Amino acid sequence: MRQHLHRGAASTQRGKSDETLNASWEDLRAFLLCTRHKSFRNAAEALGLTGTTLMRKIDRLEDELGFKLFIRDQSGLSLSDEGRSLLFDVEQMERLSFNIFRRASLSTDTQGSVRVAVTEGPGNFWILPRLIDFQKTYRRITVDLSCAMQQADVSRLEADISIQFERPTNPDVIVAKLGRLHIYGFVSEAYREAHGLPTSLADLKNHRIVKQHGVQLDETGYARILGLESLEGIVGISTNSSVAVLYAVERGAGIGFLPTSAIALGAPLVPVDLGINYHMDLWLTYHKEFRTSDRHKVVIDWLKRIFDPKVHACFRDEFIHPTDLVPLMAEAREVIGFNGYVAPKPV
């Protein structure tokens, strides 16, 4: 696809006539990625290109436009004045192109694919088990479920629907709060028998922590919430996977921070009562144009039902202790209970 641009003030100042340009959209998109990553190397990785190929695209675009887009220095890439002027127009082109493809994907029929992006824990342990029954009812709808800590941008077609911890501010998307995810400390029975439980926050330095890190998680949150200056010497395992945290905690690796619903759903764990709990709100977001798509409306309504705090106590705004959740979530445990260890015993 070629996009027709007109030379602006920057090129006019150079004495060039106001002539039509043929700029490749791929080159313009490369320019966008460079502005977002502020690095040729990182932008090249995102585009699946070599650094040399990407730089050739930028050089070609600069030659065709007649001005430099970036200032290269040791700190990375920064936009030139002309580059900043161009950025707004190219972002508008990107937004309009997304609208074209989004509208092409809309349908009034309850059939087709719906892409849902969600963080790993809620995706694997809450949505996926229920998705099996959903598929039996809506056999003509394919839910493409992506479970990752990387936040998907629905305005840029990275997903149709996203469930995330950070509330979006883009005016083109619809946002609804699904519920609140409460986090609490847990250990295995074996760990408690071998090491006991910490009796205070200060006592944590005598224990091991299984830490999760990720794009949507606050890297400094653990130490701050626990009232410690740092976690140096305390963290035994650090992983980006919530499944791995549950696996490691079940196998006695240390204290892990998991949703308060863990033992209510059948995980054989022991709560660590230190007088602290942490929560993150879950936000459902989708582009406003999907309001007219029947299949998207079906999936959106279904997601709102399965996260409804009135039905599932673990998503209420108020904190409920993990042991108190057990009788409140008996039905949920029957539907998606862990039925013992998530982690298989080592051979």
Side-chain angles (χ1 to χ4, degrees):
M1 174 170 58
R2 312 271 320 167
Q3 300 291 335
H4 295 290
L5 301 175
H6 288 83
R7 296 190 193 276
S11 59
T12 302
Q13 291 170 359
R14 289 169 173 74
K16 297 186 178 181
S17 61
D18 185 13
E19 59 187 274
T20 300
L21 299 173
N22 286 318
S24 164
W25 170 243
E26 291 304 316
D27 291 349
L28 292 169
R29 182 167 179 265
F31 163 70
L32 273 182
L33 267 290
C34 289
T35 64
R36 288 168 182 160
H37 288 278
K38 295 181 174 58
S39 160
F40 282 136
R41 181 176 61 82
N42 294 339
E45 289 179 1
L47 288 164
L49 303 173
T50 65
T52 302
T53 301
L54 175 59
M55 292 180 70
R56 278 203 301 265
K57 284 180 175 290
I58 299 300
D59 289 341
R60 181 169 61 232
L61 185 58
E62 289 180 333
D63 287 343
E64 189 163 3
L65 293 172
F67 51 78
K68 289 294 183 183
L69 296 169
F70 295 103
I71 300 170
R72 288 100 157 159
D73 54 39
Q74 291 183 345
S75 62
L77 295 178
S78 58
L79 283 169
S80 66
D81 291 340
E82 295 88 346
R84 278 192 293 272
S85 298
L86 180 68
L87 179 59
F88 175 80
D89 290 334
V90 178
E91 286 179 331
Q92 289 294 97
M93 290 170 61
E94 181 190 48
R95 184 179 65 82
L96 292 173
S97 70
F98 286 149
N99 287 344
I100 292 170
F101 290 113
R102 188 180 294 108
R103 286 167 186 156
S105 71
L106 295 179
S107 170
T108 57
D109 296 329
T110 52
Q111 63 176 328
S113 178
V114 177
R115 298 174 302 150
V116 178
V118 63
T119 54
E120 188 191 30
N124 285 315
F125 295 137
W126 193 261
I127 294 178
L128 186 58
R130 290 171 168 79
L131 188 55
I132 297 169
D133 287 335
F134 174 90
Q135 188 271 333
K136 293 176 182 176
T137 304
Y138 298 97
R139 299 194 64 83
R140 301 176 71 187
I141 297 178
T142 299
V143 176
D144 182 351
L145 185 65
S146 175
C147 301
M149 290 309 297
Q150 185 71 37
Q151 184 171 298
D153 188 341
V154 296
S155 67
R156 295 184 15 225
L157 292 182
E158 293 174 357
D160 297 342
I161 302 167
S162 176
I163 298 173
Q164 57 197 57
F165 294 136
E166 183 178 346
R167 180 172 185 167
T169 57
N170 189 325
D172 289 333
V173 303
I174 294 174
V175 180
K177 182 179 173 181
L178 286 179
R180 179 165 288 178
L181 192 66
H182 295 270
I183 307 299
Y184 209 73
F186 294 92
V187 296
S188 67
E189 290 280 5
Y191 183 92
R192 179 171 66 173
E193 291 175 5
H195 307 285
L197 297 178
T199 57
S200 66
L201 292 175
D203 191 27
L204 277 174
K205 63 180 181 294
N206 300 315
H207 291 265
R208 300 291 272 173
I209 287 177
V210 180
K211 177 187 174 184
Q212 183 182 359
H213 59 83
V215 176
Q216 295 191 62
L217 300 177
D218 182 357
E219 288 294 315
T220 64
Y222 283 84
R224 186 178 67 255
I225 293 167
L226 297 174
L228 302 173
E229 290 186 3
S230 78
L231 298 181
E232 186 176 353
I234 301 176
V235 176
I237 296 173
S238 180
T239 175
N240 67 338
S241 168
S242 55
V243 176
V245 171
L246 178 56
Y247 186 114
V249 173
E250 281 189 343
R251 290 300 163 203
I255 301 169
F257 295 88
L258 298 162
T260 49
S261 58
I263 59 174
L265 295 178
L269 302 175
V270 179
V272 178
D273 296 324
L274 292 172
I276 59 169
N277 65 84
Y278 180 66
H279 69 259
M280 296 175 287
D281 289 335
L282 292 168
W283 300 97
L284 180 143
T285 177
Y286 56 96
H287 199 279
K288 59 187 178 183
E289 292 193 6
F290 284 133
R291 290 177 298 186
T292 61
S293 169
D294 288 344
R295 70 178 185 275
H296 288 87
K297 287 191 290 185
V298 167
V299 175
I300 289 165
D301 290 343
W302 172 70
L303 288 169
K304 288 180 178 179
R305 286 198 304 273
I306 68 173
F307 281 93
D308 187 352
K310 296 178 182 177
V311 179
H312 306 292
C314 59
F315 298 121
R316 294 177 187 171
D317 280 356
E318 66 270 22
F319 169 76
I320 301 175
H321 191 276
T323 55
D324 295 333
L325 277 175
V326 174
L328 298 176
M329 298 186 63
E331 182 178 351
R333 179 170 178 167
E334 290 179 7
V335 174
I336 62 167
F338 295 150
N339 296 320
Y341 286 97
V342 172
K345 293 181 178 179
V347 178

